[in-house]
Amino acid sequence: MIPVRGYEGERVAVLGLGRSGLATAHALAAGGATPLCWDDGAEARARAEAAGLTLHDLTRREAFDGVAALITSPGIPHLYPEPNRHILRALHAGIPVDNDIGLFFRSLGSGEWDEMDQPPRVIAVTGSNGKSTTAALIHHVLEAAGRPTQLAGNIGRGVLDLDPPRDGELIVLELSSYQTELARALTPDVAVFTNLTPDHLDRHGGLGGYFAAKRRLFAEGGPDRAVIGVDEPEGLFLAGQLAMGPGDDRVIRVSVNEKLTGPGWLVHARKGFLSETRKGKQVGAIDLRAVPALPGTHNHQNACAAYAACRTLGLSPKVVEQGFASFAGLPHRSQIVAEANGVRYVNDSKATNVDAALKALMAFDNIRWIVGGLQKEGGLAALAPGLANVTKAYVIGREAEAFARDLGDVEAEVCTEMQVAVAAAMSEAAPGDTVLLAPAAASFDQYDNFEQRGDDFVARVRAALGA
């Protein structure tokens, strides 16, 4: 646990009692504060009370009297589409609003590092797509190289659940826009921006607000190194804002769309080959085609970002390559779950938006595509470049018929349920085909989350194969 510093002897309200909220309350108590816990859900309140935490009804008129701060869970809106009622009352009362990420950065370096030879460092990864794989890949390479490291944030453990860092430890965080937009402290040593595509637009008031939330990771604390994907205008803009000139190697530009040239620190991948150049000379290269857990251009982008971050930490190209080779990938992200009779089965349930699904479609040929769910803003038109790789679509979700119509000329079968879609795809698949779950939609019409959806796909495939 990371004890929260700066609130010793203070009363601090905690709103939202899921994983991060409970960890925040315990970390506040460990740091000498009195956490006052509330959740609008009775079940969550009961869990907190069973964990020995003090409930504090934020609906009462005097609820914020004598409260030093309100710490809110990332999933609770504080501005758009409209502020949560408790957050609005805190703002009216002039009470600071923060989240666990802000508390983490505020508390991490508060005195305990004085006797360490090498203070711990934080590598924080954000972006629309690929941030989980990028963060996990960095963490894996560091582990494989024998470096002390922990992984947390939007993946795995909550940030305040981390063990107190050891001498020279490297903490890798995956941070969503929900986490970066409200944190009052953001001071990573290395910050990574993978890419930007439209997502969560209602929460951020549009694409500009979404980008602004991501940009805070780089603007608030000024990282020592910034790894920036420049394949979208926003990434180009961010790199331009941070760099003092073309040769400023504090900014490492990453691309999978073009060969990067110039005097700066550059990492790009073309046709499966990663290349690193500095001052116009190639200093490292990796054949990514030999890494089975990183298929497709989108994973090559993740690899470039992870490679660049690891290089800033002093790892050699060879050491990074060895780490890539032993990376097993993440569940629900281009996860190869089985291969049988010449057919490959891939779980990419994390492809919850059109851009992520397009990248999955571009990574494989002869696809029998399981798709559908709660469609997001913007429609499905952006999938067009990948549809040539689709042999047939098998559409799931409560609105499967409407979803199928939006796929245009693609042959589509309305299945509605996962079990029907898997059975149909498997019965029609031929050697050389890939049965791919890449929904291009949220899961909440039929599942609690994308993990549950992916687990359902995997279980049905393996049951049918007798695995």
Side-chain angles (χ1 to χ4, degrees):
M1 180 187 298
I2 307 292
V4 172
R5 304 303 183 194
Y7 289 110
E8 293 82 355
E10 303 275 12
R11 290 157 36 98
V12 179
V14 178
L15 174 62
L17 300 176
R19 182 191 68 174
S20 67
L22 292 175
T24 297
H26 288 300
L28 282 162
T34 300
L36 307 175
C37 302
W38 184 252
D39 193 296
D40 287 336
E43 186 177 333
R45 295 198 299 270
R47 284 197 303 269
E49 203 164 24
L53 296 170
T54 300
L55 295 181
H56 182 77
D57 188 352
L58 293 182
T59 66
R60 299 192 338 243
R61 178 177 298 178
E62 69 278 9
F64 287 101
D65 291 353
V67 170
L70 172 65
I71 312 303
T72 180
S73 293
I76 300 175
H78 64 276
L79 188 57
Y80 302 116
E82 62 182 27
N84 173 275
R85 57 177 177 154
H86 308 304
I87 294 175
L88 195 60
R89 286 187 62 206
L91 294 173
H92 275 301
I95 293 171
V97 179
D98 204 348
N99 61 17
D100 61 333
I101 304 300
L103 295 182
F104 168 82
F105 280 109
R106 172 178 178 150
S107 305
L108 190 64
S110 54
E112 288 85 350
W113 295 357
D114 293 346
E115 298 182 3
M116 292 185 179
D117 291 333
Q118 295 182 15
R121 285 181 285 174
V122 177
I123 303 94
V125 181
T126 195
S128 297
N129 298 307
K131 56 186 178 292
S132 295
T133 296
T134 300
L137 184 55
I138 295 168
H139 174 65
H140 174 79
V141 171
L142 292 170
E143 275 193 324
R147 304 285 289 271
T149 179
Q150 297 185 69
L151 176 66
N154 203 43
I155 182 173
R157 304 163 74 179
V159 292
L160 295 173
D161 256 342
L162 287 168
D163 299 327
R166 296 165 285 173
D167 197 326
E169 187 150 38
L170 299 160
I171 298 173
V172 185
L173 303 181
E174 179 203 339
L175 298 181
S176 72
S177 58
Y178 289 10
Q179 293 170 309
T180 58
E181 69 173 342
L182 190 60
R184 296 174 69 89
L186 284 169
T187 54
D189 298 277
V190 179
V192 180
F193 178 88
T194 58
N195 51 57
L196 193 89
T197 58
D199 207 0
H200 309 304
L201 299 188
D202 58 338
R203 169 66 181 259
H204 298 294
L207 186 61
Y210 180 46
F211 175 52
K214 301 285 189 185
R215 181 183 172 277
R216 291 190 76 246
L217 183 63
F218 303 83
E220 293 298 309
D224 295 334
R225 300 279 189 184
V227 177
I228 310 292
V230 296
D231 286 334
E232 293 89 29
E234 291 85 358
L236 273 174
F237 178 79
L238 181 58
Q241 281 196 313
L242 296 174
M244 297 301 292
D248 186 350
D249 67 1
R250 294 173 303 168
V251 177
I252 307 174
R253 292 172 171 82
V254 167
S255 176
V256 290
N257 284 353
E258 61 178 319
K259 180 180 179 179
L260 298 177
T261 59
W265 195 346
L266 312 169
V267 179
H268 68 265
R270 288 176 60 110
K271 298 181 179 179
F273 288 90
L274 179 152
S275 177
E276 175 193 6
T277 61
R278 299 186 73 172
K279 298 180 180 179
K281 295 181 179 180
Q282 181 171 301
V283 295
I286 296 177
D287 183 356
L288 297 173
R289 299 173 304 170
V291 185
L294 297 171
T297 301
H298 62 303
N299 274 313
H300 295 172
Q301 183 182 60
N302 301 334
C304 286
Y307 175 95
C310 290
R311 292 286 283 138
T312 70
L313 301 171
L315 275 64
S316 71
K318 190 66 176 177
V319 168
V320 177
E321 183 176 14
Q322 290 169 347
F324 282 8
S326 60
F327 182 61
L330 289 178
H332 315 298
R333 298 160 177 88
S334 296
Q335 175 194 11
I336 299 174
V337 298
E339 292 191 52
N341 303 316
V343 178
R344 178 167 42 186
Y345 298 88
V346 179
N347 168 26
D348 204 346
S349 184
K350 185 62 170 65
T352 58
N353 59 44
V354 167
D355 183 72
L358 174 60
K359 289 174 178 175
L361 295 180
M362 299 297 287
F364 304 100
D365 298 316
N366 307 319
I367 297 170
R368 295 193 175 274
W369 179 29
I370 299 177
V371 61
L374 281 180
Q375 192 173 152
K376 295 185 177 181
E377 292 182 26
L380 304 178
L383 289 167
L387 297 182
N389 294 339
V390 176
T391 302
K392 184 177 177 179
Y394 305 82
V395 188
I396 61 174
R398 293 180 185 171
E399 299 180 354
E401 289 188 13
F403 203 106
R405 286 195 297 271
D406 287 347
L407 293 176
D409 295 333
V410 174
E411 181 184 356
E413 179 177 339
V414 175
C415 299
T416 307
E417 301 293 334
M418 180 70 76
Q419 64 187 51
V420 177
V422 169
M426 293 184 74
S427 68
E428 296 176 357
D433 285 357
T434 295
V435 175
L436 170 68
L437 171 66
S443 59
F444 304 123
D445 58 335
Q446 293 180 309
Y447 300 94
D448 291 340
N449 48 54
F450 73 84
E451 293 97 340
Q452 189 183 82
R453 176 173 60 189
D455 289 341
D456 190 16
F457 170 78
V458 171
R460 297 187 186 280
V461 168
R462 289 179 174 167
L465 293 174

